[in-house]
Amino acid sequence: LERQLLMQNQMRERQTAMQIAWTREFLKYFGTFFGLAAVGLSAGAIKKKKPGILLPIVPLSFIFAYQYDMGYGTLLQRIKGMSMSVWFTHKTKLSI
């Protein structure tokens, strides 16, 4: 049983490592796209004198920030902490 728990924990750690690696790789491509889009939209907004052209940068920046936090930040640690808190809260509510 102890060996099985160790194997499960190791598999979970490998999956997490793969997820972080995939996110970092995705971030390279999305960061390039975001940078080019920001430059292009800024140039278009200046050229046409319409600041509304910059609006797509807002949702793209949220996606970029999320992916950066996932790949290089502490998002996974915060998710693990919250999940343990939720699990413990539900477990204590069910046992009462």
Side-chain angles (χ1 to χ4, degrees):
L1 182 64
E2 185 178 337
R3 182 180 167 101
Q4 187 177 13
L5 290 174
L6 280 167
M7 294 269 294
Q8 286 176 347
N9 196 25
Q10 188 178 29
M11 287 299 295
R12 193 176 310 114
E13 287 176 2
R14 284 183 183 175
Q15 287 174 339
T16 302
M18 282 293 291
Q19 186 177 11
I20 291 171
W22 184 90
T23 300
R24 288 180 179 179
E25 190 65 26
F26 176 78
L27 189 62
K28 290 177 190 175
Y29 293 100
F30 187 77
T32 303
F33 166 74
F34 178 72
L36 290 172
V39 169
L41 291 171
S42 298
I46 291 170
K47 187 175 180 182
K48 294 188 178 190
K49 296 183 182 177
K50 292 183 180 181
I53 294 176
L54 293 173
L55 280 177
I57 290 178
V58 175
L60 291 175
S61 65
F62 280 103
I63 296 169
F64 183 77
Y66 176 83
Q67 291 295 330
Y68 183 84
D69 193 24
M70 181 74 140
Y72 295 102
T74 59
L75 181 66
L76 286 178
Q77 286 85 12
R78 292 192 317 264
I79 290 172
K80 282 181 185 178
M82 281 188 279
S83 68
M84 291 305 291
S85 174
V86 169
W87 177 78
F88 182 72
T89 302
H90 288 310
K91 184 178 177 185
T92 56
K93 284 183 181 179
L94 290 175
S95 64
I96 294 177

